[in-house]
Amino acid sequence: MDITIFSPGIYTYGAMLIGGVLRDAGHKVTLTRTPDAPPGSILLASLFSTQHLLDPAIRDLVRTHRERGGTVYVGGPVSAAPEIVLGELAPDAVVVGEGEETVVRLVEEGVSETLPGIAYLDGARSVVTPPAPPAPIDRPIPLIPEDIGSQSVRGASAYIETHRGCIGGCTFCQVPRFFGRKVRSRTLASIIEEVKAFSAHGATRLSVSGGTGSLYGSQDGKMDPEAFIGLLRGMAEVMGPKNVSSPDIRVDCITDEILDAIRQYTIGWVFFGIESGSDRVLRQMGKGATVRQVKEAVERCREHGLRVAGSFIVGYPGETERDYEATKDLIAALSLDDVFISSAEPIPGTPLADLAIRTSRDRNPAFAPHTGEYRALGLTEGEARCFDLMMHADMYRPQIRLVTDEVYAAYLAEAKKQGQDIRAATELILRYARIR
């Protein structure tokens, strides 16, 4: 059976994994980053962003493919809100949750109310079948495209999944809600076999995925540093130490041994999701960490000769001016090697989405107009904070980056785009909340 897997913009690990599962089940599978599929075939859209549900090109692809006699299934993180997917794209079905086993049955047997882990439309009524059990953690080699080496996702050709689940409960994150809070780790042998396959297909650098990377091998919430160190060592033996990265680590999930291993076996960077300089906002976000722990973690990394990057989220519903100023102060104090700024995006199925639709517009920075120094730019408060923090962070890097006219314009455009996307996502979630 001919199947096209569409992964918008980038080859995600999830799309490649499902491709490998279907390939090993005997199907002819094509993986593409562009919205295209042969008429009459099965199209599986692997969507990882709420914005994909609003993308005219994706909407048109689904509609025209079905009109031409094709079948469309949608999977990926957007399946956390299957009713919204059905309402916006009207595919033949949505694969809900971990879909490795469900998707094979779906393409071979078609839609059925007895098939767990799917959602579909029965006339105007949305039907969501009981959830499928968690998929086996070990799996076949993904379907790796021959041009994987041309891809760069934060510097890596691909992020490989070493485990599923996260002990954290961050209100803006889908990982613990999609995969659960119990960590399920793959065997080291299967991971290394996969790394070799990626290398053979031209991947130049691989990064560890799966939530917090250093949780690999942990059990019952207790870390296993030796397992994570063995993972990095094994990957470096295949790729070379300068071609492995291990970002996305919690500030409370590091040890001296782990930091030494990151310096020895990777590019030597640690990426922390810091998010805010306000303990009050961190508690609202469910981070499970404090500003003090952030400072201590950054200092420990530097003692081990590592470079540190951090992400910050602004415009969280309920974030006050005082909270925002605390974030600016923290960035100045940390002087990070790299900083990533984003506005709080309400992803369907997360507590942040519920909070966003409960918050009145005059108290939600994503909607409230900015009345401060950037008021002439017509920004919302969230956009203004995003824009301001991007420029502020450049002043406190070890090597100061000058904010030229071009950089100013780029930051402003990015802040406006994020604001527009977040308002659209909020309106989308609110529309379906009213329907329910």
Side-chain angles (χ1 to χ4, degrees):
M1 189 175 296
D2 289 349
I3 301 170
T4 299
I5 299 178
F6 169 46
S7 182
I10 61 173
Y11 299 122
T12 63
Y13 183 85
M16 290 186 281
L17 172 58
I18 293 298
V21 169
L22 290 168
R23 175 204 59 212
D24 281 21
H27 301 287
K28 180 181 177 182
V29 186
T30 301
L31 181 60
T32 178
R33 293 178 287 191
T34 58
D36 185 33
S41 64
I42 291 179
L43 170 65
L44 178 58
S46 179
L47 308 182
F48 53 87
S49 169
T50 307
Q51 300 306 316
H52 292 152
L53 303 178
L54 303 170
D55 187 329
I58 295 177
R59 287 169 173 261
D60 184 63
L61 172 66
V62 174
R63 178 182 55 80
T64 57
H65 191 69
R66 295 191 73 200
E67 288 176 350
R68 294 171 181 171
T71 302
V72 179
Y73 301 130
V74 174
V78 297
S79 73
E83 295 90 348
I84 296 180
V85 179
L86 291 171
E88 294 301 305
L89 298 182
D92 292 276
V94 179
V95 179
V96 181
E98 300 181 43
E100 289 94 315
E101 295 185 334
T102 299
V103 74
V104 175
R105 290 188 58 188
L106 184 60
V107 301
E108 293 178 351
E109 303 171 14
V111 174
S112 168
E113 62 181 8
T114 62
L115 176 60
I118 66 168
Y120 60 94
L121 289 173
D122 181 8
R125 182 175 66 97
S126 297
V127 177
V128 181
T129 66
I137 193 63
D138 284 310
R139 71 290 298 261
I141 296 294
L143 180 65
I144 306 171
E146 295 300 326
D147 60 342
I148 191 66
S150 67
Q151 177 165 285
S152 178
V153 183
R154 276 169 51 186
S157 300
Y159 278 55
I160 65 169
E161 185 180 67
T162 60
H163 62 281
R164 287 184 172 175
C166 181
I167 62 173
C170 299
T171 59
F172 52 81
C173 181
Q174 282 183 311
V175 171
R177 292 157 189 92
F178 200 87
F179 293 124
R181 296 182 70 173
K182 179 181 179 180
V183 175
R184 295 171 285 147
S185 299
R186 301 172 57 194
T187 65
L188 180 58
S190 70
I191 296 171
I192 298 306
E193 182 184 8
E194 186 173 286
V195 170
K196 291 178 180 178
F198 270 101
S199 178
H201 281 77
T204 57
R205 178 180 291 170
L206 294 178
S207 186
V208 173
S209 185
T212 294
S214 59
L215 290 177
Y216 174 73
S218 65
Q219 294 184 12
D220 300 323
K222 185 177 181 180
M223 293 172 56
D224 185 347
E226 285 303 314
F228 183 60
I229 292 168
L231 169 69
L232 297 183
R233 183 190 303 117
M235 292 180 65
E237 288 173 353
V238 178
M239 301 295 298
K242 298 305 179 183
N243 297 319
V244 176
S245 62
S246 58
D248 303 328
I249 292 179
R250 290 174 57 94
V251 296
D252 56 349
C253 289
I254 58 175
T255 66
D256 290 331
E257 296 82 4
I258 284 174
L259 296 179
D260 283 339
I262 291 173
R263 185 187 67 245
Q264 182 176 357
Y265 298 120
T266 79
I267 61 174
W269 280 76
V270 173
F271 187 99
F272 288 131
I274 298 172
E275 320 312 0
S276 178
S278 164
D279 280 322
R280 189 185 74 86
V281 173
L282 291 177
R283 287 192 295 272
Q284 282 188 312
M285 291 179 170
K287 283 294 296 183
T290 65
V291 173
R292 179 178 178 179
Q293 286 177 298
V294 168
K295 293 178 178 179
E296 291 174 349
V298 171
E299 181 60 29
R300 287 180 71 183
C301 288
R302 290 193 167 131
E303 290 173 355
H304 287 264
L306 297 170
R307 300 180 75 179
V308 186
S311 68
F312 293 84
I313 296 175
V314 297
Y316 198 89
E319 179 189 63
T320 65
E321 184 65 27
R322 184 176 180 178
D323 294 324
Y324 173 64
E325 290 298 328
T327 298
K328 293 184 72 172
D329 291 344
L330 181 60
I331 285 179
L334 295 178
S335 189
L336 297 167
D337 295 284
D338 206 355
V339 176
F340 301 86
I341 311 296
S342 62
S343 297
E345 179 182 1
I347 301 173
T350 63
L352 173 56
D354 295 335
L355 176 61
I357 63 177
R358 292 198 313 268
T359 303
S360 62
R361 296 192 179 214
D362 61 331
R363 295 183 59 247
N364 188 336
F367 290 91
H370 173 68
T371 58
E373 63 178 303
Y374 304 117
R375 59 185 175 276
L377 299 176
L379 304 176
T380 65
E381 187 59 36
E383 291 169 345
R385 291 176 186 176
C386 183
F387 175 55
D388 182 63
L389 202 59
M390 288 177 180
M391 294 191 295
H392 178 77
D394 280 348
M395 297 172 58
Y396 293 97
R397 300 174 190 266
Q399 294 182 332
I400 296 176
R401 181 185 300 174
L402 294 178
V403 179
T404 62
D405 289 345
E406 291 78 9
V407 171
Y408 182 98
Y411 286 171
L412 180 58
E414 176 61 24
K416 286 184 173 180
K417 180 182 183 302
Q418 288 191 28
Q420 181 179 7
D421 288 347
I422 286 163
R423 287 190 295 278
T426 303
E427 296 283 13
L428 177 66
I429 296 166
L430 183 59
R431 184 160 71 247
Y432 284 88
R434 287 170 178 159
I435 292 173
R436 290 199 298 269

